Amino acid sequence: MYYVYPAVFKPNPNGGYIVSVPDASGCVTGGKTLEESLRMVKDALSVYLCSLEDHNEPIPVQSNPQGITLEHGQFVTLVEVDTTSYRSQTDNKSIRKNVSLPAWLNSRAEQANINCSQLLQEALRKRLNL
């Protein structure tokens, strides 16, 4: 799923930025540079939204950035998050999946030293255009 949310960047007195996403309760992070802060808020927002998706909880409606009240020195930028892409990059734990193959096909695969798990992963990635 693809989402866009406004994020508020506030200069940190110790350097860098503190970043919050008003629509994502408790989604606050920061970094030493603008680039690092943007990466960190994208990651934090991705984790937040993936958790909501996993628990079938409602996804918050995105605020209009023009309606966000800012303090001196703060600014708003839009943060794009693709939870499908994020999951494919971060959720690499393996799970056991039983599959059925004809015995003769399994024998031929073993003779050819084909790793069926690896082949299945490659085929699924290709089929899903990942």
Side-chain angles (χ1 to χ4, degrees), residues 70-127:
L70 300 174
E71 296 174 8
H72 178 71
Q74 293 182 338
F75 63 93
V76 173
T77 192
L78 296 177
V79 178
E80 301 173 82
V81 170
D82 181 346
T83 55
T84 303
S85 176
Y86 183 79
R87 288 174 192 279
S88 71
Q89 295 170 18
T90 59
D91 189 7
N92 291 319
K93 67 181 177 201
S94 294
I95 61 165
R96 182 171 269 310
K97 192 77 170 173
N98 292 331
V99 297
S100 298
L101 299 172
W104 67 268
L105 188 57
N106 184 57
S107 294
R108 294 286 299 268
E110 287 176 351
Q111 290 170 359
N113 292 320
I114 294 174
N115 180 324
C116 289
S117 292
Q118 181 180 357
L119 182 63
L120 177 59
Q121 288 179 46
E122 290 169 0
L124 285 170
R125 283 189 184 101
K126 183 176 181 180
R127 173 67 65 93

Side-chain angles (χ1 to χ4, degrees), residues 11-47:
N12 186 337
N14 299 324
Y17 298 89
I18 299 168
V19 188
S20 61
V21 180
D23 301 314
S25 177
C27 188
V28 178
T29 187
K32 294 179 183 176
T33 65
L34 185 58
E35 294 82 8
E36 181 183 39
S37 300
L38 185 56
R39 278 194 314 273
M40 296 297 286
V41 73
K42 284 182 79 164
D43 187 63
L45 186 56
S46 295
V47 170

